[in-house]
Amino acid sequence: MRVIVAATGGVAAIKTPALLRRLVEAGHEVRAAATDDALKFVTKLSLAVAAGSPVLDREAWFAPEGGALHIEWARWAEALLIAPATADALGSAATGRADDVISALILAGVPQVVWAPAMNSAMWTHPAVQRNVVTLKGFGHRFLGPEHGTLAAQGEGQGVGRMLEPEVLAARLPAALAPQDWAGRRVLVSAGPTREYLDPVRFLSNPSSGKMGYAVAEAARDRGASVTLVSGPTALADPHGVSVIRVESAQEMLAALRQPFAEADLLVMTAAVADWQAAQPEATKQAKLGKTQVLQLIRTPDILETLAAEKRQQVMIGFAMETHEGVPKAADKARRKRLELICLNYPTRSGSAFGGDDNEVTLVTAAGAAEALPRMSKRALAELLLDRAKELLPPIAGGAAQGVSFTT
Ligand code: CTP
């Protein structure tokens, strides 16, 4: 995404170069803008170096060869992130002024505006500032923070008004810009492997990383859904804003899914559930006696089949790995497990292996219709699955809450 990061005049402007770097690392194209007051705290050079391009400030704006830079930049950008945002910047934008580069960019029609305020608590909670925040939200602008924490001014101590840290802002920007088309919906996701213990120190499992399920959970959260993620053991951190239930065995995963499933609009079952468990798990560690060992295994519960028997309003999406005759086998699974869609992948193809950041799947319906999708990131596939699932859901009574978009 093409993002202008604009600093206004607060001490948190010293963090704006770090924010620019974080956004570049996350794959965004960035440019920096700054008010005169911001440049009392951070140098133009450090902003330019972090952004990798010249900074739009008053000097550049009014340079004889400058042209209408606010118009040109507003056309280039997909989003404007004002960090830090002062009370004065909020006031200017709320009242439609254009006497600094940032308010001019807003009036010139940057498609999306996100504010990261930073100020003293008394200023942030002042009715005049809060009235401006309400006005700006009415224009479709979004807010990230401020948070409670130590404030910069001498002797101020703790309070609400601290700008979110650069890494948090960079991580939350996609959510702030996403359409809220899943607001009012409940999404349930399973992810990762399960483990079936043979004895206290050995288990049967598989190399699932959980990345696909976490991507679905994060995408649904970013689009406004209330999300529960039931996760087997993974190395991934709990996504913020998602209710995470950690489990190990198939039995525990089924138990954790059952109650949220009753209320869910969508279940996306990405978990690689181990199909077998020990017929009689040992209570104590077994020493390796003898040269061979025979294990007696029994089937784990089929979670989707069990939940399918309780299915009412839920749209259900499953995943299947096949090495051959994929489409008819996946369609058969979709019928058996009452799935609207099943994502078929071939583990033998590059781009579909466990643990990668990309996935290449064929969407298969119970009727056997197949749609081969190109290789894409797991996040992009998550978004696509949410798009498809949305078409299958009945509209929310009274209409789903929609994000207000800012149009010019
Ligand atoms: N699944 C499940 N419970 C299990 C095993 C699998 O809910 N015990 C789910 C998976 O999360 C996945 C889907 O079922 O969404 C398909 O998984 P797969 O293992 O391919 O299905 P099986 O019916 O077990 O197929 P096979 O007989 O080929 O192993």
Side-chain angles (χ1 to χ4, degrees):
M1 177 168 277
R2 292 188 302 275
V3 186
I4 301 172
V5 179
T8 64
V11 67
I14 57 173
K15 296 182 180 172
T16 309
L19 172 60
L20 285 158
R21 291 316 305 163
R22 295 281 180 173
L23 291 170
V24 169
E25 283 159 21
H28 300 287
E29 260 185 85
V30 297
R31 289 184 181 180
T35 60
D36 290 348
D37 286 347
L39 296 177
K40 292 176 185 155
F41 295 97
V42 62
T43 70
K44 193 167 163 177
L45 184 59
S46 51
L47 290 170
V49 170
S53 61
V55 175
L56 177 58
D57 66 348
R58 186 172 290 278
E59 191 189 348
W61 196 20
F62 286 107
E65 69 286 4
L69 281 182
H70 58 300
I71 307 284
E72 196 184 298
W73 278 48
R75 286 199 185 128
W76 172 84
E78 291 165 273
L80 170 65
L81 169 60
I82 302 130
T86 58
D88 187 53
L90 295 169
S92 291
T95 48
R97 299 183 67 111
D99 52 356
D100 62 68
V101 279
I102 287 139
S103 52
L105 281 169
I106 294 170
L107 286 194
V110 177
Q112 300 208 72
V113 181
V114 181
W115 296 90
M119 65 196 77
N120 153 292
S121 306
M123 292 173 81
W124 173 247
T125 52
H126 193 285
V129 172
Q130 288 304 310
R131 185 195 57 200
N132 290 336
V133 169
V134 170
T135 302
L136 295 170
K137 284 185 176 168
F139 296 161
H141 295 195
R142 303 275 169 82
F143 282 77
L144 290 173
E147 65 179 348
H148 188 274
T150 307
L151 300 173
Q154 283 275 324
E156 240 189 319
Q158 301 270 317
V160 179
R162 192 179 161 86
M163 187 175 86
L164 296 181
E165 291 301 324
E167 59 274 18
V168 177
L169 284 174
R172 298 204 184 159
L173 186 65
L177 297 173
Q180 298 295 293
D181 57 346
W182 277 79
R185 304 276 195 196
R186 288 174 210 267
V187 174
L188 179 59
V189 185
S190 74
T194 59
R195 283 181 184 172
E196 302 300 337
Y197 280 86
L198 306 175
D199 70 21
V201 296
R202 301 185 181 91
F203 53 78
L204 298 173
S205 192
N206 60 66
S208 168
S209 67
K211 285 181 183 173
M212 187 65 235
Y214 282 58
V216 174
E218 288 170 355
R221 170 205 63 200
D222 291 352
R223 288 167 68 165
S226 148
V227 184
T228 302
L229 171 64
V230 177
S231 175
T234 69
L236 304 173
D238 289 1
H240 74 85
V242 167
S243 155
V244 182
I245 307 173
R246 295 265 177 186
V247 296
E248 284 200 285
S249 67
Q251 199 61 257
E252 286 169 13
M253 185 168 274
L254 172 60
L257 286 166
R258 234 179 182 139
Q259 196 254 324
F261 178 72
E263 313 250 277
D265 295 292
L266 171 66
L267 167 67
V268 185
M269 188 80 192
T270 72
V273 184
D275 288 314
W276 301 100
Q277 64 186 82
Q280 266 170 338
E282 303 288 348
T284 54
K285 186 191 162 204
Q286 299 299 297
K288 49 180 182 314
L289 306 169
K291 289 255 180 238
T292 59
Q293 173 68 281
V294 176
L295 285 175
Q296 198 179 14
L297 302 175
I298 55 171
R299 290 278 303 276
T300 53
D302 192 304
I303 298 174
L304 276 178
E305 266 186 50
T306 312
L307 295 176
E310 298 160 20
K311 175 168 169 147
R312 287 177 303 154
Q313 76 285 354
Q314 303 89 344
V315 169
M316 293 168 66
I317 299 180
F319 278 71
M321 273 194 175
E322 306 291 353
T323 52
H324 60 288
E325 293 169 20
V327 173
K329 285 184 171 182
D332 179 54
K333 282 178 192 177
R335 275 192 295 277
R336 229 179 336 117
K337 302 186 184 207
R338 299 183 67 193
L339 306 175
E340 275 71 17
L341 272 182
I342 187 156
C343 301
L344 164 65
N345 54 26
Y346 294 95
T348 42
R349 286 188 194 167
S350 66
S352 301
F354 276 127
D357 291 323
D358 293 343
N359 211 341
E360 186 178 333
V361 305
T362 298
L363 297 183
V364 180
T365 66
E371 181 189 354
L373 299 175
R375 180 177 171 159
M376 62 181 84
S377 70
K378 288 182 173 171
R379 174 64 187 237
L381 178 58
E383 302 282 0
L384 188 146
L385 293 177
L386 291 172
D387 291 343
R388 296 299 168 87
K390 200 174 73 175
E391 290 165 14
L392 299 168
L393 284 167
I396 289 182
Q402 294 290 321
V404 190
S405 64
F406 177 55
T407 51
T408 53

